[in-house]
Amino acid sequence: MPHIIDLNSERSLRADREAELLRADLLGKCAAAIDAMGDAVAGFALVVWDKNGEMRTAYDASKGPIGPALLPTLASDALNRHVAVMLARAEDIDDSGAN
């Protein structure tokens, strides 16, 4: 008799594993960013969201030249640049693979 697979249980296990991997990736990237800044870290801004789009934010702008009022613009500009670079890299890879 074939083994019956509980699809709901499998879906839940997969979602848990994907969330675990994403949390590990988030922590690793945060650690890498902190390491890259060394002792010069003066503040941060963080936005995370779940699969339903619910968000949580955290920031500290108590030191350095960036105040709380500037954080939304700073984060937006930084992310726009980052995403543009990543999209350009992806296009370069696509273009080079088409030859």
Side-chain angles (χ1 to χ4, degrees), residues 73-84:
T73 300
L74 174 79
S76 176
D77 289 350
L79 286 169
N80 281 333
R81 285 190 301 273
H82 182 90
V83 170

Side-chain angles (χ1 to χ4, degrees), residues 23-57:
R23 283 190 299 272
D25 188 39
L26 170 63
L27 292 173
K29 287 179 177 171
C30 285
I34 292 166
D35 289 346
M37 297 295 285
D39 292 335
V41 174
F44 65 88
L46 176 68
V47 178
V48 294
W49 56 91
D50 68 10
K51 62 184 177 181
N52 298 318
E54 189 162 335
M55 289 186 272
R56 297 291 183 265
T57 61

